[in-house]
Amino acid sequence: MFKGKKMAAFGGKTKYILWFRESGIKDIELVGGKNASLGEMFRNLRKKGIRVPNGFSVTAEAYRYFITQNSLDGEIKDILKGLDTGNMRNLAERGYRVREAILSAEFPIDLRNVIIESYAKLSKEYDSHKSFHISWDKKDHTNHFAGGVDVAVRSSATAEDLADASFAGQQESYLNVTGEYQLLESIKKCFSSLFTDRAISYRVDKGFDQLSIALSVGVQKMVRSDEASSGVMFTIDTESGFQDAIVINGSWGLGENIVKGKVNPDEFIVHKPTLQKGFKSIVGKKLGSKETKLVYSVGGSASTQNVAVSQEDQKRFCLTDDEALELARWGMLIEEHYKKPMDIEWAKDGRSNKLFIVQARPETVQSQKSKNVLEEYILRDKSKILCVGAAVGGKIGQGKANVIKNVAKIADFKKGEVLVTEMTDPDWEPIMKIASAIVTNSGGRTSHAAIVSRELGIPCIVGTGNATIAIKDTKPVTVCCAEGEEGKVYEGTLKYEIKTTNLKEIKKTKTKIMMNVGNPDQAFDLSFIPNDGVGLAREEFIITEYIKIHPMALIHFDRVKDKEEKKKINDLTQGYKNKEEFFVDKLAEGIGRICAAFFPKDVIVRMSDFKTNEYATLIGGKSFEPAEENPMIGWRGASRYYDPDYMEGFRLECLAFKKVRDVMGLTNMKAMIPFCRTVEEGEKVLAEMKKYGLERGKNGLQVYVMCEIPSNVILAKEFSKIFDGFSIGSNDLTQLTLGVDRDSAKVAHVYDERNDAVKELIRQVIQKAHKARRKVGICGQAPSDFLDFAKFLVVEKIDSISLNPDTVIKTTIEIGKIEK
């Protein structure tokens, strides 16, 4: 029950409080970007099933009223006269004086009262079984309110979160705020945070007048994610700008640790087009270390505290697959509503086990980039690798390393240096903008360092674990984010080049130009190169880099005798009760990510083609592989798949393929059988695949065969009866036509794909395949290396040429000329 005199919510004609249901995205001038977005979602998206905690905004007018009633506008203007944001001490001194002036001021009584009354209403809504009341103090005409629910108090600047000016956490947020005193103090602290050093500096850079920007403050019911998990979600891939992916980061506890880069979070990547069709299309999952979590404090002056996460929780994902998919669906609904890629904060309540959206703003980096210009950074030298982490952006930066372990030392940082530190927060922004690159020990791709470096367009490597120890202060380093998802810090200043291509100038050719892709981490980036799909997606990289374990060692773990190898297998498969599932899931995610990147174009995935000596290098491999004199023409490809010594391993490959097609919905995937010596061997392989639900022709599944043995050419008509197409492997075809071991340096001078005998076999298989109405392409190295060879293929009317990514544009232009 509420008692006491009811205060009007207006100062003159101005409203000081707007509930989320009363505001929307058009009200940024009134409530700022964050609060306008919360109001928009609360009003429009809850009916679509998205949960948004209720709350209210202390409006920008309330902030201006607070400033003018305390005569602070003139005082702030005087303090900022002669401001020099390039001088750290000048900036720090002026910022401190403005903040102190605001914190020393008092709330006007009518503003104070309406805030207290609104907080009481919110408390009543969420704690309806409690009896709350407001008491009226006749002496000073103020309302007082005992108790109250826990709320988040967040700043929301009126120029914040605009599409071209992300303020990336410039102002403060306060979590687990309870009671009248804490609430009013937190709101005042938010007001003062409009003048933190980094916010003042940022406004100078962006050309905003210091006094023209006002601040609204959001007061929102807390989600008890301190007892569960929280994180961020982007509806666009933050590294490549690939728009068909949702990227979710999460860790245990309240969300500030992820934003501030204090933890290495879990990551989920979901493919939007297939999710929309009802498939469970998680095409990427990475377990983060999540060593600490932010929780509510018990006693003490602080409302939150960081505590250690148990080993058990570090080793499990903070979301289930179903929860990640639910968040991804919400992300798509939010993106559809706003009609632009979005940056979203989510939280899971540990008491109700329900998910909530607590913030959404436009993504301001990748969505602003031109899609017509392809910029590639290419490292031309290599040197000693000092440390590795998650790459942010695809650029290369270099300079003298400046290792800073404390924010107090940032005044010593000079333009063009490489910033090396534990992690960054908004206090570091004045020096981040003058750095040539940034390297941090902790944090993930959605940490503060990652977000700001993307916005600034400088390379950044996060989550290295040891950068501040491995990189020596004042020594020159090269920070490379151009080699996939793993960023590397190299010793010294290395040569690199920047290649720019205007994609509008690349004309489509009659001959399909496809790509050879092996690394799933690069797939989203590569999808922007003009292409007709993937002519060769190799499993080998996924198995060696993602899985690392021999499939038979997972199936027959008891047969692995080496104790060290057993420990490695147990460490890699932690969280999996069934070790076989680890292989299936990781292979499916790797293949799925490549298929998602090029969806709905064809992606032809070649099943494993390791030789016995290569299989033996996998963890546990020595226990299952024979020693062969010449593995190149030994037990490889198709002959393994039906052999009792490997057929169980092939079963896992088939189950991964089935998961990609049936669970993820990526039916653009075609299977390809390598090194198939005879038609009978091909029939045996197809029979094995059918056992595990991969039946040629069912659900549109096509199965190709590699044409890399002369028998494939001679019996092309017969092979055409059981396979849907051919892909010429010119490397092996040359080896077996000329009788040259391609690993031997002694006879390397004889090895030449352009030899007339090799070309004659290629000519024949193209003709025979077309006669049998079968597609034929090439995925060998030759057309990537030799333009005259590519010309020969075009003249022979090959259906597709699959090239290494770095030669696609050059060869496409040349093929266009040939076709003319």
Side-chain angles (χ1 to χ4, degrees):
M1 166 179 181
F2 300 111
K3 292 180 180 176
K5 184 176 177 181
K6 187 154 182 136
M7 297 297 297
F10 293 82
K13 292 184 177 179
T14 306
K15 207 163 190 181
Y16 295 149
I17 296 292
L18 280 174
W19 287 85
F20 289 166
R21 65 177 175 271
E22 298 175 301
S23 59
I25 204 62
K26 292 178 181 175
D27 297 314
I28 289 177
E29 286 188 12
L30 293 173
V31 295
K34 281 192 180 76
N35 292 338
S37 186
L38 280 169
E40 183 74 14
M41 289 191 293
F42 194 84
R43 283 167 66 176
N44 299 299
L45 293 175
R46 283 189 308 150
K47 57 193 172 197
K48 294 190 176 181
I50 297 175
R51 287 183 284 272
V52 181
N54 196 11
F56 59 89
S57 303
V58 179
T59 65
E61 256 338 292
Y63 164 81
R64 290 190 180 98
Y65 182 52
F66 174 88
I67 293 293
T68 54
Q69 287 294 104
N70 285 283
S71 304
L72 288 169
D73 37 1
E75 188 176 348
I76 291 170
K77 193 176 275 188
D78 288 342
I79 293 170
L80 294 179
K81 272 180 188 167
L83 171 69
D84 178 5
T85 57
N87 181 327
M88 299 297 156
R89 288 181 177 85
N90 178 295
L91 174 63
E93 184 211 334
R94 290 167 194 277
Y96 174 78
R97 284 170 59 198
V98 174
R99 293 192 296 277
E100 282 303 298
I102 293 171
L103 291 170
S104 303
E106 294 294 335
F107 278 97
I109 289 170
D110 52 346
L111 174 57
R112 179 191 190 284
N113 286 342
V114 75
I115 291 170
I116 296 301
E117 183 178 299
S118 301
Y119 179 52
K121 284 182 181 176
L122 188 66
S123 299
K124 179 76 174 168
E125 179 184 335
Y126 280 98
D127 234 341
S128 55
H129 64 284
K130 281 190 181 176
S131 179
F132 294 112
H133 70 275
I134 293 176
S135 58
W136 172 253
D137 189 327
K138 290 180 182 177
K139 187 178 176 184
D140 60 8
H141 306 286
T142 56
N143 282 332
H144 292 281
F145 175 65
V149 294
D150 49 338
V151 291
V153 180
R154 287 194 171 97
S155 308
S156 180
T158 53
E160 183 180 46
D161 297 331
L162 302 179
D164 59 347
S166 166
F167 277 59
Q170 292 293 334
Q171 281 76 50
E172 297 294 350
S173 295
Y174 299 93
L175 306 179
N176 185 24
V177 173
T178 53
E180 170 191 319
Y181 175 77
Q182 259 197 352
L183 176 63
L184 292 169
E185 281 303 298
S186 297
I187 292 170
K188 206 192 285 186
K189 284 177 185 173
C190 285
F191 284 171
S192 76
S193 76
L194 192 56
F195 293 92
T196 56
D197 300 352
R198 76 253 182 176
I200 294 169
S201 173
Y202 193 91
R203 285 194 292 273
V204 168
D205 291 345
K206 291 287 181 182
F208 290 100
D209 179 73
Q210 298 290 348
L211 286 168
S212 68
I213 292 171
L215 190 85
S216 168
V217 178
V219 179
Q220 185 180 34
K221 173 67 180 79
M222 283 284 294
V223 175
R224 291 305 303 265
S225 58
D226 60 309
E227 296 181 5
S229 58
S230 60
V232 292
M233 165 169 60
F234 286 87
T235 65
I236 186 172
D237 179 52
T238 51
E239 300 314 311
S240 65
F242 181 70
Q243 295 208 9
D244 281 347
I246 297 233
V247 181
I248 301 167
N249 278 191
S251 67
W252 302 113
L254 302 169
E256 297 295 290
N257 276 357
I258 282 190
V259 175
K260 290 184 175 174
K262 290 184 179 178
V263 292
N264 295 326
D266 296 336
E267 183 174 83
F268 296 81
I269 300 173
V270 185
H271 183 234
K272 291 194 280 195
T274 44
L275 178 68
Q276 206 156 24
K277 294 177 181 176
F279 291 100
K280 296 183 175 182
S281 48
I282 296 174
V283 297
K285 266 173 82 172
K286 280 185 184 171
L287 188 70
S289 54
K290 310 183 298 294
E291 291 161 353
T292 59
K293 64 178 176 179
L294 191 67
V295 298
Y296 281 17
S297 281
V298 180
S301 57
S303 56
T304 58
Q305 67 183 74
N306 264 306
V307 297
V309 174
S310 69
Q311 285 290 318
E312 185 186 349
D313 280 349
Q314 284 181 43
K315 291 175 182 177
R316 68 187 180 99
F317 285 97
C318 66
L319 286 172
T320 65
D321 284 2
D322 285 343
E323 287 169 340
L325 291 166
E326 183 178 9
L327 281 176
R329 288 186 202 98
W330 286 3
M332 287 171 67
L333 288 170
I334 293 168
E335 181 180 62
E336 185 185 342
H337 179 80
Y338 284 91
K339 295 183 172 53
K340 61 183 71 172
M342 298 296 287
D343 166 0
I344 300 160
E345 293 176 28
W346 61 269
K348 181 182 175 183
D349 192 293
R351 298 187 172 182
S352 67
N353 282 324
K354 289 179 178 175
L355 292 164
F356 292 84
I357 298 298
V358 294
Q359 191 49 251
R361 62 184 75 81
E363 193 277 341
T364 58
V365 180
Q366 293 296 350
S367 54
Q368 303 296 304
K369 283 188 178 175
S370 167
K371 298 292 184 283
N372 294 319
V373 177
L374 185 70
E375 189 179 69
E376 297 172 90
Y377 279 67
I378 303 154
L379 190 65
R380 290 303 183 197
D381 286 340
K382 292 288 173 76
S383 66
K384 182 183 175 185
I385 296 171
L386 300 175
C387 60
V388 298
V392 177
K395 295 184 178 181
I396 297 170
Q398 49 195 201
K400 190 197 292 183
N402 191 330
V403 181
I404 301 180
K405 296 180 182 178
N406 190 314
V407 71
K409 301 279 187 183
I410 67 172
D412 301 329
F413 191 85
K414 294 180 179 63
K415 187 175 182 180
E417 292 180 335
V418 173
L419 172 61
V420 183
T421 186
E422 174 63 34
M423 63 181 177
T424 66
D425 62 32
D427 288 328
W428 294 72
E429 284 173 32
I431 67 165
M432 291 172 79
K433 69 189 181 189
I434 59 171
S436 62
I438 296 167
V439 186
T440 68
N441 287 349
S442 58
R445 294 180 204 282
T446 48
S447 64
H448 175 268
I451 290 168
V452 172
S453 62
R454 271 189 216 106
E455 184 180 316
L456 295 170
I458 58 175
C460 174
I461 299 175
V462 294
T464 62
N466 65 340
T468 53
I469 297 166
I471 300 171
K472 301 302 176 199
D473 194 36
T474 75
K475 297 293 182 186
V477 293
T478 297
V479 178
C480 181
C481 296
E483 299 175 278
E485 282 199 359
E486 189 175 70
K488 296 171 184 153
V489 180
Y490 291 97
E491 193 173 66
T493 306
L494 304 182
K495 287 180 184 173
Y496 70 92
E497 67 177 82
I498 305 168
K499 190 174 164 188
T500 305
T501 308
N502 186 342
L503 299 181
K504 281 185 174 178
E505 294 172 2
I506 310 296
K507 300 288 186 287
K508 197 161 177 60
T509 57
K510 290 175 189 173
T511 309
K512 283 191 173 182
I513 305 297
M514 303 178 88
M515 261 194 280
N516 299 333
V517 179
N519 184 350
D521 292 347
Q522 295 179 331
F524 290 165
D525 277 309
L526 296 177
S527 71
F528 290 97
I529 298 171
N531 70 84
D532 291 300
V534 175
L536 174 64
R538 304 180 185 92
E539 278 188 27
E540 287 75 29
F541 182 91
I542 301 167
I543 293 171
T544 54
E545 297 297 318
Y546 284 30
I547 298 169
K548 302 179 181 177
I549 306 166
H550 194 291
M552 296 296 282
L554 294 164
I555 298 165
H556 297 289
F557 184 58
D558 55 314
R559 282 167 55 186
V560 180
K561 301 304 177 192
D562 187 298
K563 286 183 181 177
E564 189 61 34
E565 289 200 325
K566 283 199 130 167
K567 183 182 182 301
K568 285 179 184 174
I569 293 170
N570 278 326
D571 288 346
L572 284 166
T573 59
Q574 63 188 7
Y576 284 87
K577 290 178 183 175
N578 180 340
K579 288 180 166 52
E580 295 177 25
E581 278 179 25
F582 168 76
F583 186 95
V584 173
D585 283 1
K586 291 298 166 197
L587 184 56
E589 286 163 18
I591 294 169
R593 186 151 168 189
I594 297 171
C595 292
F598 294 88
F599 186 85
K601 298 170 188 171
D602 288 346
V603 174
I604 302 169
V605 184
R606 186 180 70 190
M607 298 187 115
S608 63
D609 192 26
F610 284 125
K611 290 81 182 172
T612 49
N613 59 324
E614 294 166 337
Y615 261 122
T617 63
L618 295 172
I619 299 168
K622 291 186 184 71
S623 304
F624 301 94
E625 294 297 326
E628 292 188 298
E629 285 298 319
N630 193 345
M632 192 69 80
I633 53 172
W635 191 40
R636 62 177 282 202
S639 59
R640 296 180 69 96
Y641 303 161
Y642 57 86
D643 189 301
D645 287 339
Y646 186 75
M647 61 199 304
E648 291 172 292
F650 184 61
R651 170 175 63 87
L652 301 189
E653 288 186 48
C654 290
L655 293 175
F657 275 51
K658 186 171 170 58
K659 183 173 182 179
V660 171
R661 289 178 58 84
D662 296 356
V663 178
M664 298 178 182
L666 293 160
T667 51
N668 59 323
M669 190 205 80
K670 295 180 177 180
M672 183 156 68
I673 310 304
F675 224 77
C676 186
R677 294 169 166 100
T678 67
V679 176
E680 293 74 26
E681 194 163 59
E683 287 170 338
K684 286 180 183 178
V685 171
L686 290 170
E688 283 298 309
M689 292 172 69
K690 188 175 176 181
K691 281 185 194 174
Y692 309 112
L694 286 178
E695 184 177 353
R696 181 179 161 232
K698 193 172 181 182
N699 191 23
L701 175 63
Q702 290 192 346
V703 185
Y704 277 45
V705 66
M706 288 289 290
C707 176
E708 51 194 346
I709 307 166
S711 63
N712 302 140
V713 180
I714 296 162
L715 298 175
K717 182 180 175 184
E718 285 71 23
F719 277 103
S720 293
K721 291 172 184 174
I722 64 168
F723 290 110
D724 297 290
F726 297 86
S727 184
I728 300 164
S730 57
N731 299 354
D732 271 330
L733 187 60
T734 303
Q735 171 178 244
L736 297 173
T737 302
L738 300 177
V740 175
D741 180 350
R742 69 180 212 239
D743 281 349
S744 169
K746 277 288 184 188
V747 289
H749 63 283
V750 180
Y751 184 94
D752 186 358
E753 300 98 320
R754 294 171 292 178
N755 182 281
D756 286 343
V758 179
K759 288 167 79 173
E760 180 56 33
L761 288 178
I762 290 172
R763 186 179 289 114
Q764 284 183 34
V765 79
I766 293 171
Q767 290 170 358
K768 289 180 180 182
H770 285 168
K771 195 171 181 182
R773 294 184 180 178
R774 291 288 182 258
K775 292 277 177 70
V776 59
I778 188 167
C779 60
Q781 186 70 25
S784 292
D785 290 346
F786 310 114
L787 282 174
D788 60 330
F789 193 84
K791 181 178 179 179
F792 156 72
L793 295 169
V794 174
V795 171
E796 292 301 325
K797 295 186 170 64
I798 198 163
D799 295 297
S800 65
I801 298 175
S802 196
L803 301 160
N804 293 338
D806 60 344
T807 65
V808 167
I809 291 170
K810 174 182 73 176
T811 313
T812 301
I813 292 167
E814 291 302 319
I815 286 172
K817 291 176 186 174
I818 295 162
E819 288 180 346
K820 274 185 181 178

